Amino acid sequence: MSVTFAQGFKAAGVSAGISSTPGKRDLALVVNEGPLDTAAGVFTPNRFCAAPVQWSREVAKQGHVEAVVVNSGGANACTGQEGFNQSAQTADEIAKLLNTQARSVAIASTGLIGELLPMDHVLGGVHAAFAQLNDSAQAGTDAAYAIMTTDTKPKTTQIEASGYRVGGMVKGSGMIAPQLATMICVLTTDAVITAEQAQNALRQATETSFNRIDVDGCMSTNDTVLLLASGASGVEPELDEFNSMVAEACSSLAHQIVGDGEGSSHDVDVTVQGASDERA
């Protein structure tokens, strides 16, 4: 069920004509209907991070995100101020539809680097996705397909704990190296948590999952991991259990990325023994 597994979330994945592949689903929308709009984010450390990363990093700092728009037709990286303006314009468009502020909307993009997005298609896709928002399993699957680029299959996860749920989707196949790898991930939960708790859980989880995978040694400009919490279950989780749930979700998605690595035929797990500490 992907991002719609947790209560309080709707999603859609549509073909907006952004991708060069005719008819491909290439724009996903995930909306948190609350009652909470708690959020956390972890992003690429690349100094040449893409425009949507620059935008969403500032949005996530506030600890509140009501919606995420992801397109898989272009990375909008190395595009300067004009590229940043495109991210802002996309956020503003969905904010108008949701009757909220643009700074409550996160943006993620993946695809070719160095090219601006066709904004008429992006904005048309935003409206189409908004019209198709649904909390069904199919809607979550459609969103997972819409964020794929060279992926051969959608990558999703769903975990249920003590009265609350964690769901998620990720894309990633090539340009995969430690420090998040080349990937975009959206996790959702209906647990009642604070932004600080969400950030701690997400940072710990990425350190032991996405930051440990490698396919071709190439880093990216667009890596984004977002965790959204709706609080719709009404359950305040035991934090160790919640942290473990988020870590399990990230680990599952990270392994799926490696299993779908471009040109790869084997998965290799490396176990380090005798190190003095985690850093070593």
Side-chain angles (χ1 to χ4, degrees), residues 124-277:
V126 163
H127 282 264
F130 180 79
Q132 295 182 33
L133 281 172
N134 199 285
D135 61 2
S136 68
Q138 186 60 54
T141 299
D142 290 345
Y145 271 101
I147 67 174
M148 293 166 49
T149 50
T150 57
D151 309 65
T152 65
K153 54 190 174 183
K155 304 169 178 69
T156 64
T157 189
Q158 57 185 58
I159 307 169
E160 190 156 10
S162 306
Y164 64 94
R165 295 176 169 184
V166 175
M169 63 181 183
V170 73
K171 65 81 53 185
S173 183
M175 289 184 69
I176 303 296
Q179 297 304 318
L180 285 189
T182 299
M183 39 77 65
I184 291 174
C185 175
V186 180
L187 298 167
T188 58
T189 181
D190 49 24
V192 177
I193 55 171
T194 67
E196 182 179 6
Q197 291 167 344
Q199 189 66 50
N200 288 339
L202 189 61
R203 190 163 296 282
Q204 291 176 34
T206 54
E207 282 299 320
T208 57
S209 58
F210 300 122
N211 282 349
R212 290 185 177 180
I213 59 175
D214 194 348
V215 171
D216 50 17
C218 298
M219 292 178 66
S220 174
T221 55
N222 291 63
D223 310 329
T224 298
V225 185
L226 294 168
L227 171 60
L228 312 182
S230 68
S233 70
V235 175
E236 294 184 29
E238 195 279 320
L239 290 183
D240 285 342
E241 180 188 61
F242 179 74
N243 292 347
S244 178
M245 291 268 289
V246 176
E248 182 182 344
C250 288
S251 179
S252 171
L253 293 171
H255 277 87
Q256 291 178 59
I257 288 175
V258 172
D260 195 31
E262 287 182 358
S264 66
S265 58
H266 295 79
D267 298 351
V268 178
D269 285 321
V270 178
T271 301
V272 178
Q273 296 179 325
S276 58
D277 55 29

